[in-house]
């Protein structure tokens, strides 16, 4: 299994917009993906008021690549997130 951690820094004036998109659109869509074992969303805290994260566990790199494409090691955002996401980071780990 592979752990995928996606972290995004949001433009401060768009935080509420991303929170709504994440909870109403992105999470339901992600939960339908074949091979996704689990997904946990991290919402902003006072010390990082414009930072979100998603921690996903996939059953295999093949399933992850089927979802994210051949360049699965690069962070992507959905078209709806353009102009909302200021910066993004992506990390992968093998599960112990």
């Amino acid at each position: 299994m592979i752990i995928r951690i996606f972290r995004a820094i949001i433009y401060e004036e768009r935080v509420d917009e991303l929170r709504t998109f994440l909870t109403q659109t992105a999470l339901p869509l992600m939960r339908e993906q074949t091979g996704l074992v689990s997904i946990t969303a991290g919402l902003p805290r006072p010390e990082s008021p414009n930072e979100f994260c998603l921690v996903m566990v996939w059953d295999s790199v093949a399933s992850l690549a089927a979802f994210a494409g051949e360049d699965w090691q690069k962070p992507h955002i959905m078209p709806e997130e353009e102009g909302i996401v200021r910066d993004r980071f992506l990390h992968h780990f093998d599960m112990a």
Side-chain angles (χ1 to χ4, degrees):
M1 285 197 264
I2 185 166
I3 300 168
R4 178 181 177 96
I5 301 173
F6 175 81
R7 190 168 57 92
I9 309 290
I10 309 309
Y11 291 104
E12 290 179 25
E13 65 276 8
R14 314 276 314 259
V15 168
D16 289 338
E17 193 175 340
L18 184 71
R19 181 188 308 265
T20 299
F21 172 76
L22 179 68
T23 58
Q24 294 182 8
T25 303
L27 284 173
L29 174 71
M30 292 295 303
R31 289 185 174 122
E32 295 176 2
Q33 301 308 307
T34 301
L36 182 67
V37 176
S38 68
I39 185 167
T40 302
L43 300 175
R45 293 192 33 84
E47 62 272 14
S48 55
N50 62 332
E51 189 170 337
F52 290 77
C53 79
L54 290 174
V55 178
M56 297 160 266
V57 176
W58 291 86
D59 65 3
S60 66
V61 170
S63 292
L64 174 53
F67 164 72
E70 289 183 27
D71 59 349
W72 60 270
Q73 293 178 317
K74 295 180 181 176
H76 298 279
I77 59 172
M78 297 174 75
E80 298 91 338
E81 297 169 286
E82 282 296 331
I84 298 174
V85 177
R86 187 182 79 205
D87 218 348
R88 53 194 170 270
F89 308 90
L90 185 63
H91 304 279
H92 295 96
F93 302 89
D94 287 328
M95 184 174 278

